[in-house]
Amino acid sequence: MSSVTYEVLAVRYGVLAARKSDLYYRYESYGEPDAEASMAYYFWVLRGGGATILVDTGFDPEAAARRGRTCLVPPLDALAELGIAPGDVSAIVVTHLHYDHTGNLHAFPSAQLVVPSRELEFWSGPHAGRGQFAPHAEQGDIDYVTQAVAQGRVRATEGTEEIFDGVVAVSVGGHSAGQQVTVVDAGAGPVVLTSDAVHLYEELELDRPFAVMHDLEQMYAAYDFVKELARSRRAVVVPGHDPDVFVRHGGDDTETNRVAVQIA
Ligand SMILES: [Zn+2]
């Protein structure tokens, strides 16, 4: 048990209408008819021990518009609605360097960034620019994080590390080279913010990998890791893009004015 426990909020700021065949890797292999499906876009807020920590920062509304994503509320406005000013945020856990998790970092110039070292390595390496990887990141965001490393503002994590009292970061890979899962002590038990290690509940329930992946074996292993936390520690699992997160935690699945639900 840690001495600090956290309130955990999921902030929903965007939505995307899609089809199952867009969301699941080789969907045709399941022999089921295609169907409509949707995704939601979230980032997460941890409040505990007097600190406010963000897990990711959502997408930049301008980048999202260019990519055809619907922004329900700009992430920084959502934070303002929750009474959180950028200066209140002491640290940002950046789970991976895809554009919908790294937008808006520039609004937090004094926050410490926690980033998996494998992500830093990959996105500055020889394959980041390849056709199946590059579209998922914004070069401006990658450059910003690289500058932050040079400024000594980045804590690079390896494997499993307790990054704050009551917050453990686990780099699982799979979806992205160093994709990180964040395990938070919420008092009653752990909350697992999977970010994009698991986008949708069905990935776990039906054992179906998501369409965007770096390494299939690691993606399956990440599902096992998350399911084991749910089984052995009764952890609450929060997928990174499932609209149902709002339903299961007291919100709803329609476009309301509500920007956040309390997970714990
Ligand atoms: Zn991603």
Side-chain angles (χ1 to χ4, degrees), residues 96 98 100-101 175 179 196 199 241:
H96 63 306
H98 286 173
D100 54 328
H101 298 258
H175 167 69
Q179 174 69 51
D196 289 3
H199 289 64
H241 287 275

Side-chain angles (χ1 to χ4, degrees), residues 168-188:
V168 174
V170 186
S171 179
V172 295
H175 167 69
S176 185
Q179 174 69 51
Q180 183 178 284
V181 166
T182 311
V183 184
V184 183
D185 186 343

Side-chain angles (χ1 to χ4, degrees), residues 1-240:
M1 268 305 271
S2 56
S3 58
V4 180
T5 60
Y6 294 85
E7 174 194 28
V8 181
L9 303 177
V11 183
R12 182 182 64 183
Y13 65 90
V15 289
L16 177 70
R19 300 190 63 76
K20 291 204 169 197
S21 55
D22 300 323
L23 302 183
Y24 292 99
Y25 175 66
R26 300 194 63 236
Y27 182 74
E28 71 281 5
S29 67
Y30 302 114
E32 295 173 11
D34 202 1
E36 288 181 0
S38 60
M39 291 222 302
Y41 290 79
Y42 300 99
F43 65 94
W44 303 271
V45 177
L46 313 181
R47 286 195 280 216
T52 299
I53 297 166
L54 301 184
V55 177
D56 296 332
T57 48
F59 56 50
D60 180 297
E62 183 273 319
R66 189 173 3 101
R67 292 164 178 269
R69 296 328 191 230
T70 304
C71 189
L72 296 175
V73 53
L76 297 175
D77 293 358
L79 279 180
E81 275 192 48
L82 295 169
I84 298 168
D88 300 335
V89 176
S90 56
I92 301 171
V93 180
V94 184
T95 65
H96 63 306
L97 297 182
H98 286 173
Y99 81 96
D100 54 328
H101 298 258
T102 57
N104 311 296
L105 283 174
H106 54 83
F108 305 89
S110 56
Q112 181 195 32
L113 306 183
V114 181
V115 189
S117 61
R118 181 75 183 97
E119 278 294 284
L120 296 171
E121 201 179 272
F122 177 79
W123 291 103
S124 58
H127 304 302
R130 306 302 272 265
Q132 292 294 332
F133 290 124
H136 302 302
E138 283 286 320
Q139 191 58 48
D141 293 348
I142 303 290
D143 293 345
Y144 182 87
V145 172
T146 305
Q147 279 167 24
V149 170
Q151 292 160 357
R153 280 176 55 211
V154 174
R155 171 172 172 174
T157 59
E158 298 270 353
T160 301
E161 281 189 33
E162 185 169 47
I163 49 175
F164 304 107
D165 195 5
V167 182
V168 174
V170 186
S171 179
V172 295
H175 167 69
S176 185
Q179 174 69 51
Q180 183 178 284
V181 166
T182 311
V183 184
V184 183
D185 186 343
V191 169
V192 185
L193 300 174
T194 68
S195 179
D196 289 3
V198 182
H199 289 64
L200 305 164
Y201 288 110
E202 272 195 350
E203 289 169 54
L204 297 178
E205 291 162 2
L206 303 176
D207 208 32
R208 292 184 176 179
F210 192 73
V212 177
M213 78 167 64
H214 185 91
D215 183 302
L216 180 57
E217 183 181 7
Q218 286 179 349
M219 188 176 278
Y220 276 128
Y223 294 171
D224 290 348
F225 171 71
V226 169
K227 283 198 266 194
E228 179 57 21
L229 280 173
R231 193 194 64 78
S232 65
R233 295 182 59 200
R234 295 190 163 277
V236 175
V237 175
V238 182

